Amino acid sequence: MITNISKAAALPTMTDRGVDLSALPKEVRDQLAELDLELSEGDITQKGYEKKRTKLLAPYIIQAPVPPPQNDFQPPAPSSSSQAPPPSSSSRYRERRSRRTHRRGGTRDDRYRSDVHSEAVQAALAKHKEEKMALPMPTKRRSTYVQSPIETRTPPDSSSGSEDETSVRRQSSVIAPPPPVNSNKQSPDCWISRSAQGSSTSSSASSTLSHGEAKPQPQSQPQPQYKPQYQPLYQPQYQSQEQSRTAAVTDMLAHSRIAASENSAPPPDVTTVAPPTRGPRVDLPSNAVVQGMSRGQSRSSMMETADGVPVSSRVSTKIQQLLNTLKRPKRPPLSEFFTDDSEEIVQVPQPDPNTPKPEGRQIIPVKGEPLGVVSNWPPALQAALARWGATQGKSPALTALDITGKPLYTLTYGKLWSRSVKLAYTLLNKLGNKNEQILKPGDRVALVYPNSDPGMFWVAFYGCLLAEVIPVPIEVPLSRKDAGISQVGFLLGSCGVSLALTSEICLKGLPKTPTGEILQFKGWPRLKWVITDSKYLTKPGKDWQPHIPTANTDPAYIEYKASKDGTVVGVAMSKVAMLTHCQALTQACNYCEGETLVNVLDFKKEMGLWHGVLTAVMNRIHTISVPYAVMKACPLSWVQRVHIHKARVALVKCRDLHWAMMAHRDQRDVSLASLRMLIVADGANPWSVSSCDAFLSLFQSHGLKPEVVCPCAASPEAMTVAIRRPGVLGAPLPARAILSMSGLSHGVIRVNTEDKNSALTVQDVGHVMPGALMCIVKPDGPPQLCKTDEIGEIIINSRAGGMMYYGLPGLTKNTFEVIPVNANGVPIGEIPFVRSGLLGFVGPGSLIFVVGKIEGLLMVSGRRHNADDLVATALAVEPVKTVYRGRIAVFSVSVFYDERVVIVAEQRPDASEEDSFQWMSRVLQAIDSIHQVGLYCLALVPANTLPKTPLGGIHISDTKQFFLEGTLHPCNILMCPHTCVTNLPKPRQKQPVGVGPASVMVGNLVAGKRIAQAAGRDLGMIEDQDLVRKLCMWPTVMHQYLTEALQWRAQTDPEHVLFVLLNSKGVAVGTATCIQLHKRAEKIAAALTEKGSINTGENVVLLFPPSIDLIAAFYGCLYAGCVPVNVRPPHPQNLAATLPTVRMIIDVSKAACILTTQNLMRTLRSKEAAASVNIKTWPTIIDTDDLPRRRPPQIYRPPTAEMIAYLDFSVSTTGMLTGVKISHAAVSALCRSIKLQCELYSSRQIAICLDPYCGLGFVLWCLASVYSGHQSILIPPFELESCLSLWLSTLSQYRVRDTFCSYSVMELCTKGLGTQTELLKARGVNLSCVRSCVVIAEERPRLSLTQSFSKLFKDVGLSTRAVSTAFGSRVNLAVCLQGTTGPDPCTVYVDMKSLRHDRVRLVERGAPQSLPLMESGKILPGVRVIIVNPETRGPLGDSHLGEIWVHSPHNASGYYTIYGEESLQANHFNTKLSFGDPQTLWARTGYLGFVKRTELLDASGDRHDALFVVGSLDETLELRGLRYHPIDIETSVSRAHRSIAESAVFTWTNLLVVVSELCGSEQDALDLVPLITNVVLEEHHLIVGVVVIVDPGVIPINSRGEKQRMHLRDSFLADQLDPIYVAYNM
């Protein structure tokens, strides 16, 4: 017997009691705090800690007598003390003395009181009672979820209660850790940093926080600074100010750096576009920063805090709060950080040396008493029924109740026998035609009867036994959507069931098809339904008698069992096991003939079937069956039945005890004195002890005797494992065990010595069944016998146990044929045992204690937690008015190499948003304090939406399935990944940069690596002779200027059509021949000099829709000698968002004049425009629709080709507005390069569906045709919105060989036309003519989009090899472009983990964590690229990741800056390598990529070097020392749920923020939060800080189809997104 507790262990608690810690001298408190820290970090053992602590406190102890050692297992007695109030700390000494006197008097120890667990939880939460939660409350749009109507009828607790979950709190106790001793140290217990307190309230659109006063804290501790890990060019640095702890969030905002100007305009807002269409594409600079402008000017457009966050922002206060909650130190880790080696394989955490280990000897199998020999015992159960039917025909067998709880009918043994015989005869002889027998003995038959009709079930069950067919009782299917319905189909299939028995009423209620046939349920075999009502049965002739053989090992019946993962299996019972089990129960429960039994359990399975149907008939017992529906309507009905019938035995669950107590006031005059046994079927549940105690204390006054309460333990496989025998009056009550929860989590039994520190009180379930042998084995791995102080799985050897899982031999072997082994792995005998699925141990006197079930076990970080324990803790958190008691599901999901605990509960309709959040926060704290396990997710769903089991419990596996599929639809959710995910790889420490050139070079040479560089072919000046003839004798030396080329074409081939513009109907609405274009350009040049009085070299803004006018205006400017600046016109429906960008480019470029159309001129001067910009200060506006018929005196020719030809302005995805200068030399070099790559000449036609405002799009639209003479068919992308097929049908109609488009166009076609390829075919669209379709972009190729496009349109003739991509950047508009010759673009797979470390590791297709990358087209003629380490500026080797640098005659000349900041210029445009080739000038593209030499050959026969672009350096996120590309995280997020349309990520103060557009209904919004968190954690090893769910079209996308993440970030922080939901992950 485990008795004495070591005095040393008890000392600290004793010593603490006599000492007021706050009164101790400061140095003693400091030493104590240091000691606590040492213990928490594992630097000192528990024993050493206690010794040192006792020594420190010894001088201050108020001496008190130490009590003698106590027994762990104490004999309980009537718990009259269960109402006593909790002792105050001042009376602890008195309490200890009185406890000893109590014990002598035989009353129960205070720790056994039923309300002890809720007290414990309150104690754990008491630390936080002053502060309202400082966790930021989620923000929710009001419409997000509409409560579903509640059920019309709910039981007493207004809960439909669960079959298994009792609603009484589990008995267990917890201690709140002592307050931190040293107030200067931040204690690990401070869950929440106190810098922000106040109640969280929810406003209509999004919630705000009202801050209470911050508690003054010692000044000594500076607040940690959260420095953003990467700073875009415009972001002001964090101010390094000492911030004391006193600072509340408001102070954080006050340390702002305010740079407000008088007319500071807010940033242009893109979010006002009406969903669901994405609306006009807009290029928006994020708060307008011009690259190259001085910093001071950059962001004067709004007041900001030190992080560039608008002061008004509610979001920022929320995030600040979130950061504050994350500052609390984590529990000391069990050294669980995985090391990150080159493979970054996640390793198992090292075991903690202080983990308790089992120390006892090996357990000896426990034997039950022998099964008694009875002389007149029947040879089979059917024989007992035959005997009672013949000799005691009038005696009652079963009484059924109606819905009000009144008796409906009584079935006598005579009637039961005669009806069963009739049914047996009918089944065997009357189902088919005359000669065919449908059922043979041994066939399986489904029994489908409702819970309210036990009589029909009894007849059917015994009828099957008599016919020797095997009954398989199942639940009545109510609809196709029943929880687990398809799994029942699996059971019927594995048992080979083809016939179902049911009653007429039940059959009428089954769901039918419109034709009246019974629905075919998902996964079910085809069933033939047979009605078993008496009127349909045939009476057998006098000579027919059922065959009743002696019980053998054939299956008698099959009981269904749902396993943890939801699969339903059938446990087969043999005839002899059924008989032996009845005999064992009769002996253990001392059943007598003619007794009355009240059964509240389900009579179709387990205890309800074994006692209430089988053993009852064996002993001629009268059973009164109380159905679940009656219990819901009248919870006291079973107590009344016991009283009326003077029942001797009652069969209940804890739930029934609880309901009876709730309804107790209705009935004063019931007596339970007749009961000799109150069998508690789920008495094995750890928290059943409190239900039993509470029920006993309430009903003792009604005659209930303490010794009649008989908990038992059972499982479908092992049947009854143990049952407490009915006691003798006055005998001592059985023992209780008070176990340490932390010991239990390590699988060992440790008596809890602390007064309230997380303890679990369990009651015994009596002794092993008669005739059985029991062992305890380890639950996982081989069945090794446990030690005496170890928790393990109970296994049983008995004739009365299940024989197999029917039809599943593999599973059967592991469960029904277990041979235990000793510590050396040697089997201890021959006899097979059955696994019971129960976890427990053997206590003193061979009493069995059960602490949980295998299927409720959650293994988190190597520790075991019991789902039921967590439920009990959650229920003990006040106020429970937030959720329904019996409707809480706890399960674990596997995320990132460990199990994570999830709790889902049904929220009451009247619970307020704040109550719910408050309750959730408190549950988190309670579980963290008591179980030392972090919750991953806590979700509340609307009432009555969780899947239920037939008897009202929550269907756990379906709930888990819904959670993982994103179909749970929570109305409140709290994710806490930061607290429970402790196994992330260690953050990467970057190596210092100072690597000398020599070592790098040597490194390259030693490794035999070639330097990663590649070049296009030579851009020769002399054409080859064939081409010269084709090109109408184009002069051998190229024109340096495009103006000369246009004049030459106008002279030599005036009527050649250069441009054709199409409208949405595919009709050519404008064409331009060489001469027309030349003449129109002349007119514009004349207008500029006359109307605009423009001087040479001045900048002119071109504001045109995509048109031929734009092209003419461009050449007009060149003819006049001014510099054109092409700007996208404002969108007339969205001026507020788009006009400020136009205004800014005009201001920045210092334009002297604007060329535009009449319509746009009106727009610029309209009232609407005046609302967003100052329209009085526009420069001169010239309308090109009305031009004088004049020619300029002469056409301007620049003195040198290095002069600027035009300015190219563009907004980058990081929200940066940059203008680059393109010289005349660069223009002609670029045009020539494209001409060579794409083989363009006069007789060729190309189709362009691009926005002509910047980059390569502008070059192809306006410049290339004039240079090469080919015809360009121009398709403005906005026309596709009214006619999706315009671009593709144009390609087909004009038989175009080469076409250029943008990703947005491709996406539009893929999404809009993907399903209509047959329709396109019917219209005659044929794309077999297309040999190259190039996507123009400045980003990594979107492989999935190009592949989808190729696959979809393969049906209309598109060659799979046609689609390719181009790559350009700000410093060089076209680096790569897939031409007509050369090898196809190749794809490689790289390891994403290596990419994060700035390495490239090539892997095979399909490798885990692999990322496919497609080559970005062929490098253009005249271009050289090299891959460079951006920090050392040294060249890198082949297949290394670095920045792409480019050298080419068409590089841009520099940024267009106002103040000529030369440093930027030199840095980006004229950079030299630090070693290798120090002469060449390179331009830095700002993109990361690598070069790989492939096996393919290029035109010249050399091996081809492919350039792979990985992503923009500005866009990358630096988190945990690793580099992430937003697109990779976004791709993962978009895969997480079908309702995610688009997503974008950015960081804010080290937190990863994910914004997702929801394309489903708003009730899906909260489903996305856990799925997004899971996928980012699994695939990228990152914890998401904030998840924002928004409407479609909110994420701003520019004309090239690129996301503008920085603009989104600003809108989010300025609270302009109007999100559906914002979740702040803890």
Side-chain angles (χ1 to χ4, degrees), residues 450-522:
N451 195 256
S452 54
D453 195 357
M456 294 293 282
F457 175 82
W458 279 43
V459 170
F461 190 88
Y462 282 106
C464 287
L465 292 186
L466 290 170
E468 292 188 88
V469 295
I470 302 172
V472 184
I474 59 168
E475 304 300 338
V476 179
L478 299 175
S479 75
R480 273 204 167 131
K481 293 209 172 107
D482 282 6
I485 184 105
S486 58
Q487 293 296 350
V488 177
F490 173 76
L491 165 78
L492 298 176
S494 65
C495 294
V497 174
S498 57
L499 194 76
L501 307 186
T502 188
S503 63
E504 190 170 21
I505 294 173
C506 183
L507 191 74
K508 281 183 182 154
L510 290 177
K512 310 273 193 310
T513 60
T515 58
E517 289 174 17
I518 290 167
L519 266 186
Q520 179 64 30
F521 298 106
K522 187 179 164 195

Side-chain angles (χ1 to χ4, degrees), residues 511-682:
K512 310 273 193 310
T513 60
T515 58
E517 289 174 17
I518 290 167
L519 266 186
Q520 179 64 30
F521 298 106
K522 187 179 164 195
W524 283 39
R526 287 219 162 271
L527 292 180
K528 185 175 176 186
W529 294 83
V530 175
I531 299 175
T532 61
D533 293 57
S534 275
K535 57 185 177 189
Y536 298 108
L537 302 180
T538 312
K539 195 170 182 182
K542 287 272 191 305
D543 53 346
W544 190 86
Q545 280 299 321
H547 173 56
I548 301 178
T550 305
N552 56 14
T553 54
D554 295 341
Y557 70 94
I558 293 171
E559 184 173 307
Y560 80 85
K561 178 221 170 178
S563 54
K564 187 175 182 176
D565 59 358
T567 47
V568 176
V569 291
V571 179
M573 296 302 162
S574 68
K575 292 172 180 169
V576 70
M578 179 168 72
L579 186 70
T580 313
H581 191 223
C582 289
Q583 188 182 350
L585 284 178
T586 304
Q587 185 175 326
C589 302
N590 208 358
Y591 281 125
C592 307
E593 209 176 301
E595 282 188 312
T596 305
L597 175 148
V598 172
N599 179 21
V600 194
L601 306 180
D602 182 0
F603 50 72
K604 293 191 284 297
K605 58 181 192 145
E606 294 184 27
M607 305 288 291
L609 174 67
W610 307 332
H611 286 262
V613 181
L614 308 179
T615 312
V617 167
M618 183 67 92
N619 293 291
R620 193 175 63 79
I621 286 170
H622 176 200
T623 304
I624 291 133
S625 188
V626 182
Y628 175 63
V630 172
M631 285 297 294
K632 282 177 79 172
C634 169
L636 209 58
S637 54
W638 73 268
V639 177
Q640 292 160 351
R641 289 292 120 203
V642 171
H643 170 71
I644 293 164
H645 294 272
K646 302 272 183 292
R648 304 280 287 136
V649 181
L651 204 54
V652 297
K653 283 196 166 185
C654 293
R655 176 197 64 197
D656 310 318
L657 300 180
H658 181 69
W659 284 7
M661 288 188 286
M662 299 288 285
H664 167 63
R665 290 174 205 81
D666 310 347
Q667 191 99 24
R668 291 300 153 92
D669 53 352
V670 290
S671 161
L672 297 181
S674 62
L675 278 183
R676 67 176 185 81
M677 244 188 133
L678 177 62
I679 300 175
V680 185
D682 53 355

Side-chain angles (χ1 to χ4, degrees), residues 137 879 881-882 910-920:
M137 209 170 130
K881 62 171 187 280
T882 311
D910 50 355
S912 75
E913 202 70 4
E914 185 163 351
D915 285 347
S916 306
F917 188 68
Q918 210 63 15
W919 182 81
M920 290 160 90

